[in-house]
Amino acid sequence: MRHRSVADLMTPHPVAVRAETAFKEVARLLHEYDITAVPVVDGDGRPVGVVSEADLLRRRAGGTSAAGELMSSPAVTARPEWSVVRAARVMQRHGVKRLPVVGADGLLIGVLSRSDLVRLFLRRDQAIREEIVEDVIVRTLRIAPSSVTVDVDDGVVVLSGTVPRAELLPVVERLCQSVDGVVDVDNRLAGPSAGPS
């Protein structure tokens, strides 16, 4: 069981501009590519900042004319091997809506936006169910798949059946909640029934 990585969801080969790119060219690129921001890169292709629509609107009145003066800097970046959970936390901590993604050499290789993260919740129910059964129930917890019934409807997981030990009840729920695309978990599992005394 693993969370999707930044590389799985990022937009590769993103549109980028240089610090000297003019205001109108930045605006044209945002419109042409239907995007809300672009990374600003140095001469080697390393991100130094980001220019968003909000930056353009906020600073237009001041007569600023180049991306280097408009951008939010320094660029908060992500690595392709990061889990999307880590990337989401970085976005939240820094109050940004997108992260330029850089390779080991620091060069821009992609962009991850909040809308990319939202796509996780569009995973097919069947894919979520298969991951829970195969990765959580069988591989991680080593519970017989016939013991637990997993139903998924619009990302809501319903667990029923029995687990071999009562202490596994919260563990199963917590692991299911960590599966990408799960919106909620309705845990109806029971522990082992007590035998006759």
Side-chain angles (χ1 to χ4, degrees), residues 148-182:
V148 176
T149 300
V150 178
D151 293 305
V152 184
D153 185 23
D154 279 342
V156 177
V157 177
V158 179
L159 301 170
S160 55
T162 58
V163 293
R165 298 186 318 277
E167 62 268 20
L168 288 177
L169 292 170
V171 175
V172 174
E173 182 173 344
R174 189 169 58 250
L175 289 174
C176 288
Q177 287 172 336
S178 73
V179 170
D180 291 333
V182 171

Side-chain angles (χ1 to χ4, degrees), residues 3-193:
H3 283 290
R4 301 302 173 273
S5 70
V6 167
D8 294 330
L9 293 180
M10 72 179 189
T11 300
H13 316 295
V15 177
V17 297
R18 301 277 294 274
E20 61 271 19
T21 303
F23 178 102
K24 282 196 171 185
E25 176 64 8
V26 174
R28 185 190 69 75
L29 289 168
L30 294 179
H31 176 73
E32 180 180 336
Y33 289 93
D34 193 26
I35 53 179
T36 59
V38 302
V40 180
V41 296
D42 65 15
D44 296 322
R46 290 180 173 82
V48 294
V50 173
V51 176
S52 68
E53 289 173 327
D55 293 324
L56 294 181
L57 294 172
R58 185 167 44 248
R59 300 186 184 161
R60 185 179 63 151
T64 306
S65 59
E69 299 165 77
L70 294 163
M71 69 184 181
S72 300
S73 180
V76 179
T77 61
R79 295 291 302 270
E81 67 272 13
W82 284 8
S83 73
V84 293
V85 172
R86 180 175 180 184
R89 287 182 179 151
V90 168
M91 281 184 190
Q92 182 178 16
R93 184 166 54 248
H94 292 277
V96 296
K97 297 178 181 177
R98 66 204 54 79
L99 297 170
V101 182
V102 297
D105 54 7
L107 300 180
L108 180 70
I109 59 171
V111 170
L112 181 74
S113 69
R114 285 195 307 195
S115 61
D116 295 325
L117 296 177
V118 168
R119 284 189 307 173
L120 287 178
F121 295 102
L122 301 178
R123 282 186 79 195
R124 289 180 12 263
D125 289 339
Q126 183 60 28
I128 294 170
R129 183 187 177 283
E130 288 171 3
E131 183 172 342
I132 289 173
V133 171
E134 294 169 14
D135 290 351
V136 175
I137 304 299
V138 176
R139 195 169 304 135
T140 303
L141 298 175
R142 303 198 183 286
I143 297 173
S146 58
S147 302
V148 176
T149 300
V150 178
D151 293 305
V152 184
D153 185 23
D154 279 342
V156 177
V157 177
V158 179
L159 301 170
S160 55
T162 58
V163 293
R165 298 186 318 277
E167 62 268 20
L168 288 177
L169 292 170
V171 175
V172 174
E173 182 173 344
R174 189 169 58 250
L175 289 174
C176 288
Q177 287 172 336
S178 73
V179 170
D180 291 333
V182 171
V183 174
D184 197 9
V185 177
D186 180 0
N187 188 352
R188 303 176 187 175
L189 291 170
S193 55

